[in-house]
Amino acid sequence: MEEGDRNESTTVAGKCEPIAIVGLSCRLPGAAGPDEFWNILRNGESAVSEVPADRWDADLFFDPDPTRPGKTNTRWGGFLDQVDRFDAAFFGISPREATSMDPQQRLMLELSWEALEDAGIVPGDLRDSATGVFTGATWDDYAALVHHQGPDSLGRHSMTGLNRGLVANRVSYFLGLQGPSLTVDSAQSSALVAIHLACESLRKRECTLALAGGVNLNLAPQSTVAASQFGALSPDGRSFTFDARANGYVRGEGGGVVLLKPLSRALADGDDVYCVIRGSAVNNDGGGDGLTAPRRSAQEDVLRRAYQHAGVRPVDVQYVELHGTGTELGDPIEAAALGAVLGAGRASDARLAVGSAKTTVGHLEGAAGIVGVMKTVLSIRHRELPPSLNFVSPNPDIPFDDLRLRVQDVLEPWPAPADRPRVAGVSSFGMGGTNCHVVLSEVPQPGPAEQKRFSQAAPLITTGLVPWTLSGKSDAALRAQAGRLREFLASHAEEQVGLGEVGWSLATGRTHFDHRAVILGTDHADMMA
């Protein structure tokens, strides 16, 4: 990077530099990736289930009396399948070290790799680059399980394997990244604060790319018992966000990662941009009725700061993905703050739509912010607002009409005027008072230079006999890759999937391992054969 680039202004046309989201990955209850997550959101499905038998004995820890010490008032949660599975050899990790690693470290490795591939970037090409890693994480369930077995369970890999800071550092080490690398813990707002910090680091030119997100795995009953004893969990195993039945949240697990770069660079590189982050803000309640009691004035302040930073008028926002835990105290305060800042000045027939992904997959706590961002990005991409679940009776403590708010409880086209871009906000609040809000909008139309770049690339990827190149670190991995491509075609049978574009991405945006194969064809039938 030239010295002049380092001193370049971080503002564009008087506003902060927009940050482009160019890659996505997630692993959530009922969803192995963004496409599956969008499907369950769009279809209004719940991914909440009873505690799997291979986690812990729910009967042993359950008691409907929430005051019983050592007990939880719920059997429900949002859980991942096969959370114990990990391809250690793929990441150059020995089996012995892999067993000593917190599965949150493993999950972050997988999600980072997938986000890079989704962006068409070969992970190995980033070695020695100024790429940053910013990860939100709060719980240490795996460490608790290991320590419960006594000192003899600790070995030479325990110090690194159980250290939460290495959730981010492990990615930087594996990929050889030299940008900032840190794990953020601001309680439930951790992942969204991580995204905020990543954007600021990009604007300051501390890094040129950034992987940002969060992970959360509920591996031990103790963390669920602690949340229940605190009074946070719904005995119904549902998050009734903004509903009269609001009585707590249901815990969820998983994680997600977004790949970020300055919008100007993304457009110059011809990237497929999902949407842009226009601005963000972070603050703290700074006191109030109690350590964990939310404060309306602080929430209003973080909203105003975020939209000022983004250069966006609050009245132009069409949707907000709520923190929305479904708690008796928190929901009315969040609604009041939204109404004061974003509801003011709206017509009665143009109320702000709000919703919460927690009603679908549960509250991922330290990773909740990335789930909210993922849902909003996909909604902007598909130009639809999916339903927020469990909303039947409006909370009587929330004056929806006066606040100009409405809960998005059905699938609808995105309510954006024809002459305005789609604009949304995402909120996340930590129980210690650290509040974060991020402003997202759809991608600006590319200028003539970018359009020319796209048109020049098109003939290279859309004509002739199409090769699909596959590779893996083993024969089994190669066959698994072929199976995933076949599933992709089958699930997109009614769409006009560009076979040439898929072939181009496989050839130029994936790592080429030792076990390889090529599929040749001219149509879907050839590729499915």
Side-chain angles (χ1 to χ4, degrees), residues 32-96:
D35 287 345
E36 294 92 335
F37 184 40
W38 176 248
N39 285 338
I40 64 173
L41 286 169
R42 193 177 189 278
N43 294 333
E45 300 172 6
S46 172
V48 173
S49 65
E50 292 198 31
V51 179
D54 60 356
R55 290 301 178 90
W56 61 81
D57 185 348
D59 291 335
L60 184 63
F61 293 94
F62 172 75
D63 193 299
D65 180 359
T67 65
R68 287 283 305 279
K71 301 293 183 179
T72 173
N73 64 339
T74 181
R75 302 172 181 269
W76 299 87
F79 295 94
L80 299 184
D81 295 329
Q82 300 178 339
V83 72
D84 57 328
R85 302 291 181 89
F86 179 62
D87 189 352
F90 181 89
F91 294 99
I93 297 171
S94 70
R96 182 182 295 274

Side-chain angles (χ1 to χ4, degrees), residues 468-509:
W468 280 13
T469 57
L470 290 74
S471 72
K473 285 196 171 184
S474 67
D475 183 65
L478 180 64
R479 293 180 182 276
Q481 172 73 351
R484 286 191 292 271
L485 286 171
R486 185 182 179 88
E487 291 174 3
F488 171 79
L489 278 181
S491 63
H492 293 76
E494 298 180 359
E495 302 175 25
Q496 295 297 317
V497 176
L499 301 185
E501 294 180 2
V502 174
W504 175 266
S505 297
L506 290 171
T508 63

Side-chain angles (χ1 to χ4, degrees), residues 198-212:
C199 291
E200 291 301 293
S201 184
L202 286 164
R203 293 187 181 108
K204 293 177 180 177
R205 307 298 190 254
E206 292 176 338
C207 55
T208 53
L209 282 172
L211 291 158

Side-chain angles (χ1 to χ4, degrees), residues 8 130 174 241 265 320 399 441:
E8 182 182 344
F174 173 67
T241 301
R265 183 181 170 195
V320 167
S441 75

